[in-house]
Amino acid sequence: MPLARGIIRLNKRFTNPVMLRLAGIGPIVDLEHVGRRTGTVRHTPLMAFRHGDVVTIALTYGPDVQWLANVRHAGGCRMRMRGEVVRLGAPRVLDPAEAMARIPQPQRALLRWPIRCRDYVELPVLRPPAAGDVDTRRR
């Protein structure tokens, strides 16, 4: 069950700015995407897990989130994770059992309960970061 809309608004206003500062630590990442209507560059903090040439993301707010619609529309995005910037391709819906196999403990336990996440996507890593890629971290 996706998180309640009230929690989403609270997180957007207060928690997300803090989480963006922590991006790159552990599973916390900064997903950079472009608004499909405005063209504005946006940053969304998420928990993501790299497994080979794919990144798995738990959709804790459900599959109807704006960042996912933006990434689908653009066909990809960039992500800052563990000190590097990676370009990612279009998302693909992932079976929950396959997603859970890619997620380490204790995050797996949190996603099962109390979050009860049932929706996951994977994004392919398109290439390693080039020398010209800029760190998208807010300062």
Side-chain angles (χ1 to χ4, degrees):
M1 177 165 134
L3 295 173
R5 293 289 170 207
I7 292 173
I8 293 171
R9 284 191 294 274
L10 181 72
N11 281 346
K12 205 174 204 183
R13 178 157 175 122
F14 298 106
T15 308
N16 285 2
V18 173
M19 296 305 288
L20 282 171
R21 293 206 176 269
L22 297 174
I25 299 172
I28 302 168
V29 301
D30 175 0
L31 180 91
E32 180 185 285
H33 53 100
V34 177
R36 62 194 179 284
R37 295 185 192 121
T38 64
T40 304
V41 174
R42 307 217 180 258
H43 294 266
T44 302
L46 299 168
M47 277 196 329
F49 308 92
R50 187 163 180 176
H51 187 264
D53 289 338
V54 294
V55 173
T56 301
I57 299 174
L59 302 176
T60 56
Y61 294 140
D64 299 324
V65 290
Q66 294 300 307
W67 71 260
L68 184 56
N70 289 341
V71 173
R72 283 184 172 136
H73 183 262
C77 61
R78 293 186 343 156
M79 180 180 286
R80 182 169 51 92
M81 61 186 327
R82 298 188 187 263
E84 68 175 321
V85 176
V86 293
R87 262 189 47 218
L88 302 172
R92 179 181 78 83
V93 174
L94 192 59
D95 178 75
E98 186 178 354
M100 282 295 179
R102 298 178 183 177
I103 298 171
Q105 290 289 6
Q107 292 90 353
R108 185 182 321 157
L110 287 171
L111 290 168
R112 281 191 181 129
W113 190 89
I115 296 173
R116 296 183 183 165
C117 184
R118 295 185 183 114
D119 301 296
Y120 300 85
V121 292
E122 73 172 9
L123 293 88
V125 176
L126 297 181
R127 63 166 173 82
D133 277 350
V134 178
D135 186 351
T136 60
R137 176 180 18 194
R138 290 181 179 179
R139 297 186 191 263

